[in-house]
Amino acid sequence: MDKVFYAFGTSNYIRVDAAFSSKWQQSMLEEIEVMCDKIDNMFSVFKQTSEISKINQMAGERAVFVNEVTFQVLKRAQYFSNLSQGAFDATIFPAVQLWGIMNENPKIPSMHKCEAVKKLVNYKQLILDEKEQTAFLLKKGQAIDLGGIVKGYAGDRVRERLMQSGVTSALLNLGGTILTIGNKKDGSSWKVGIQNPLKKRGDIVGSVQLNQDVLVTSGVNERFFIKDGKRYHHILDPRTCEPARTGVLSVTMAGGSGIDLDAMATTMFVLGVEKGIPLALKMGMEALYLLDTGEIYATKGFAEGNYRFDKAGRENT
Ligand code: AMP
Ligand code: MG
């Protein structure tokens, strides 16, 4: 049984192949949808009541006490901000807002405005106090955006819930964060397509085999607009506060933890191949880059290991 639902500003898909009644499966799928909605409400910068919005509203004024889950995700976002020396930046929101890529009418901002925003984006000015469990943005106008990490966090929670309830076969796709449990009902492995970012949805360059794994892709195709023939996408380079241009069309990460892979996919997109691949290896993650030259760069796991990227492969979900 499967279900498509909207959360995290995107379309999500879940499929459960369980040896349970269809009524049970249906209520499980509904529970998952509610769960994702809750997580979205907790973390979204676009919801005024979320804890993240409260931290943003209090920027430059005071520290805000947050619940433990929010604090842990913030810590992880801060970890990847530090690890990448700011290629991933948890305080990217002023730049995201400036471009309006998440809105109906995105636009190219003036240089002047970009310069002003550059002064605000700075993860080092996000102060997390472990003891008090508070978050504080030092300057007014600064704002956190966890859009690059929250789908991975949600994926981990959903998978955990499904496994707890005895589901042995499932596939979950939260806007490009894909998690699987076990094999398909017929015993074969899940095969997930790698989208060609420049073609229409479903046009894939190959497929990857998955089993109890997580696969996360960040690409130029998720959200973008085209102006005068040039593509402006939603992954921004915090140093320029413009869409990151490293010749990357997409980067797919594979491994075990949704939250970490999600953060890393966004990070690796900004870093580009030369800096990205060594970082992935250091983190023990697999990476597959599609470049605008048509080249594909992959670590061993995709080339020959567990995840085997098959160029002629098809999706078989
Ligand atoms: P993803 O699709 O996981 O790569 O996440 C992209 C989203 O993360 C964007 O829509 C922004 O909300 C946010 N984002 C964009 N650029 C960055 C960045 N350099 N560091 C952290 N988050 C970012
Ligand atoms: Mg991400």
Side-chain angles (χ1 to χ4, degrees), residues 87-90 92 96 102 145 147-148 151 218 222 234-236 238 262 266 270:
F88 185 94
D89 192 313
I92 194 78
V96 171
M102 308 305 273
D145 175 358
K151 294 193 292 285
S218 280
E222 265 319 309
H234 73 315
I235 303 171
L236 306 175
D262 192 357
T266 310
V270 178

Side-chain angles (χ1 to χ4, degrees), residues 135-305:
F136 182 27
L137 288 162
L138 294 181
K139 277 194 213 155
K140 195 162 185 58
Q142 286 185 317
I144 297 165
D145 175 358
L146 299 179
I149 188 169
V150 77
K151 294 193 292 285
Y153 167 75
D156 288 338
R157 291 290 80 77
V158 170
R159 187 168 61 165
E160 216 170 73
R161 176 74 189 103
L162 291 171
M163 288 175 81
Q164 259 172 13
S165 31
V167 171
T168 51
S169 170
L171 176 111
L172 173 74
N173 184 350
L174 300 181
T177 292
I178 298 174
L179 296 95
T180 58
I181 298 176
N183 284 327
K184 288 172 63 190
K185 203 164 51 180
D186 66 8
S188 63
S189 307
W190 296 102
K191 276 194 185 155
V192 177
I194 304 286
Q195 171 71 31
N196 181 333
L198 300 180
K199 297 265 174 76
K200 66 174 193 311
R201 211 168 271 271
D203 216 329
I204 61 176
V205 296
S207 73
V208 172
Q209 203 169 291
L210 285 185
N211 176 306
Q212 211 86 343
D213 307 297
V214 189
L215 194 73
V216 181
T217 301
S218 280
V220 296
N221 51 315
E222 265 319 309
R223 277 176 190 275
F224 64 93
F225 67 97
I226 291 177
K227 178 101 170 75
D228 300 330
K230 205 167 165 190
R231 182 187 280 254
Y232 297 87
H233 56 77
H234 73 315
I235 303 171
L236 306 175
D237 185 333
R239 286 158 295 198
T240 59
C241 286
E242 291 180 21
R245 296 203 187 279
T246 42
V248 179
L249 292 180
S250 76
V251 54
T252 298
M253 303 296 298
S257 155
I259 187 169
D260 287 3
L261 292 166
D262 192 357
M264 270 292 279
T266 310
T267 305
M268 300 269 296
F269 189 100
V270 178
L271 287 177
V273 175
E274 279 175 26
K275 290 189 182 147
I277 294 274
L279 185 64
L281 294 176
K282 184 176 146 197
M283 297 297 289
M285 294 175 183
E286 303 293 342
L288 179 107
Y289 274 106
L290 301 185
L291 302 187
D292 59 9
T293 53
E295 287 165 295
I296 299 178
Y297 279 85
T299 55
K300 244 183 166 168
F302 280 115
E304 54 199 54

Side-chain angles (χ1 to χ4, degrees), residues 54-95:
K54 284 184 191 145
I55 301 166
N56 294 347
Q57 285 151 15
M58 287 300 140
E61 288 185 32
R62 65 170 172 84
V64 174
F65 175 78
V66 293
N67 77 46
E68 204 189 326
V69 170
T70 305
F71 194 78
Q72 291 309 325
V73 176
L74 280 170
K75 256 177 67 181
R76 215 61 201 139
Q78 187 74 307
Y79 171 83
F80 283 99
S81 303
N82 278 313
L83 180 79
S84 66
Q85 292 173 338
F88 185 94
D89 192 313
T91 66
I92 194 78
F93 193 58

